C-alpha cells in the first residue's frame, strides 16, 4: 500500500495547464516547485490509500468549486513567486 496526497497530482496537472495558457509566467523548475509548494500549503490535503479512495478523490476533483479553489491557490502562488523568484537569472 502507498499513502498519497492526491492534491499534489491535481495541483501539478492544473499548474501545467495554467502555465501553458500563460507563456509570460516563468516555468523553470525552481519557479514551478515554488508555485506548487505555496499552492499546496493553502489547500487541504486529499490523502488516499486504496484504489477506492483514489476514485473518491478523482470524483471530488471534478466538482466545480474544488477546481476553482485549486486554480485560485495556484494563481495566488504565481503572483508571490513572480514578484520574487528564486531561480538563477544570471546575476552575481
Amino acid at each position: 500500500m502507498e499513502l498519497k496526497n492526491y492534491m499534489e497530482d491535481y495541483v501539478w496537472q492544473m499548474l501545467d495547464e495554467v502555465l501553458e495558457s500563460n507563456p509570460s509566467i516563468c516555468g523553470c523548475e525552481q519557479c514551478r516547485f515554488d508555485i506548487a509548494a505555496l499552492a499546496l500549503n493553502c489547500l487541504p490535503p486529499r490523502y488516499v490509500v486504496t484504489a477506492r479512495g483514489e476514485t473518491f478523490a478523482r470524483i471530488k476533483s471534478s466538482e466545480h468549486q474544488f477546481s476553482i479553489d485549486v486554480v485560485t491557490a495556484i494563481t495566488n502562488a504565481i503572483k508571490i513567486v513572480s514578484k520574487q523568484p528564486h531561480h538563477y537569472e544570471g546575476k552575481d
Side-chain angles (χ1 to χ4, degrees):
M1 279 195 193
E2 180 181 349
L3 183 63
K4 176 85 174 137
N5 181 1
Y6 178 73
M7 186 64 79
E8 286 183 46
D9 292 340
Y10 197 71
V11 164
W12 283 115
Q13 175 189 340
M14 295 304 293
L15 178 57
D16 287 341
E17 291 178 22
V18 169
L19 291 176
E20 282 178 21
S21 63
N22 296 286
S24 63
I25 299 169
C26 182
C28 77
E29 183 178 37
Q30 182 65 53
C31 287
R32 287 173 44 81
F33 272 88
D34 287 346
I35 293 166
L38 283 169
L40 284 165
N41 281 330
C42 295
L43 294 164
R46 299 278 186 233
Y47 286 101
V48 294
V49 175
T50 65
R52 181 177 178 213
E54 187 169 346
T55 301
F56 173 76
R58 289 184 192 273
I59 291 169
K60 181 73 174 162
S61 71
S62 67
E63 293 178 12
H64 187 66
Q65 186 61 49
F66 180 82
S67 295
I68 290 170
D69 293 344
V70 171
V71 171
T72 299
I74 290 170
T75 302
N76 291 335
I78 287 170
K79 289 176 186 176
I80 293 168
V81 172
S82 294
K83 286 181 184 176
Q84 195 169 20
H86 292 127
H87 60 255
Y88 179 73
E89 296 182 21
K91 298 177 185 174
D92 290 330

